[in-house]
Amino acid sequence: GASPWSPAVEAMPLAAPDGLVPVAADRQVALFWNAVAGATSYEVQRASPPGSPFVAVGTSAASRFVDAG
């Protein structure tokens, strides 16, 4: 909790992961990427159809995710 004696702490956003490698399979795609230092989880988003707004489809604590949607 905050108190008059607590210093303000500001969270800094981490960089987006890079090195995305999609691997297609029957009605799903496995996604692999390079881990980001300091990240504890990743939110995976998809835009369907292309050009539409991105929607979160899941989270992963590892640098991989299988999207079966």
Side-chain angles (χ1 to χ4, degrees):
S3 75
W5 302 280
S6 297
V9 177
E10 185 174 321
M12 298 300 294
L14 299 174
D18 63 1
L20 178 65
V21 176
V23 178
D26 186 34
R27 298 183 185 209
Q28 66 182 22
V29 62
L31 305 170
F32 302 91
W33 57 87
N34 297 324
V36 174
T40 57
S41 67
Y42 302 89
E43 180 181 86
V44 180
Q45 300 181 352
R46 172 183 350 115
S48 183
S52 63
F54 281 91
V55 176
V57 294
T59 59
S60 177
S63 56
R64 62 187 178 273
F65 182 80
V66 175
D67 185 354

